[in-house]
């Protein structure tokens, strides 16, 4: 069944291409390290504003005060840094299509594993077939771009 959150996921997929491609262009002019720093600073300002709004209750249900910091909470930030740094670097070398079709295929495989191992959502034939079709699409897109 189609869920409206799928529209958000679609939009974020488009945003990822634009964000990484623009960062590649910025990195081409000022270097990757300054581009990553600029991007990170803007993310920090936006995160701070979001946190402020959530603490004020302007964005309800976004803050829990009873949680204690766990070490693994740092992992998403490190992974975000890897995305912000790695995607523009890869796009500069092979182009956005190759980077994102491979990324989508990796997301399909990783999502199946995550759902099964962490979320307890079993892999069924339809989901596995969808992932295989996605990976086959990656192979076609990569083959087509090498000709």
């Amino acid at each position: 069944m189609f869920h409206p959150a799928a529209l958000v996921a679609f939009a974020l997929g488009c945003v990822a291409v634009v964000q990484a491609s623009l960062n590649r262009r910025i990195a081409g002019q000022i270097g990757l390290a300054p581009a990553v720093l600029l991007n990170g600073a803007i993310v920090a300002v936006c995160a701070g504003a979001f946190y402020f709004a959530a603490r004020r209750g302007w964005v309800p249900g976004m803050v829990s005060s009873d949680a204690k910091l766990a070490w693994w909470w740092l992992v998403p930030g490190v992974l975000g840094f890897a995305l912000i740094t790695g995607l523009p670097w890869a796009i500069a070398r092979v182009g956005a299509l190759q980077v994102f079709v491979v990324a989508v295929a990796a997301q399909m495989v990783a999502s199946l594993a995550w759902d099964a191992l962490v979320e307890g959502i079993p892999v069924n034939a339809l989901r596995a077939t969808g992932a295989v079709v996605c990976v086959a699409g990656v192979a076609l897109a990569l083959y087509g771009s090498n000709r």
Side-chain angles (χ1 to χ4, degrees), residues 110-121:
S111 295
L112 280 175
W114 182 271
D115 281 354
L117 300 173
V118 178
E119 303 296 338
I121 301 169

Side-chain angles (χ1 to χ4, degrees), residues 38-97:
L38 175 63
N39 189 289
I42 293 168
V43 168
V45 168
C46 291
F50 178 71
Y51 179 76
F52 178 79
R55 292 298 290 179
R56 294 271 187 234
W58 301 339
V59 187
M62 295 291 169
V63 178
S64 173
S65 61
D66 59 349
K68 295 193 182 198
L69 181 66
W71 71 266
W72 60 267
W73 292 6
L74 305 175
V75 173
V78 172
L79 297 177
F81 171 77
L83 287 170
I84 290 170
T85 305
L87 289 174
W89 180 88
I91 289 170
R93 283 150 182 80
V94 296
L97 176 67

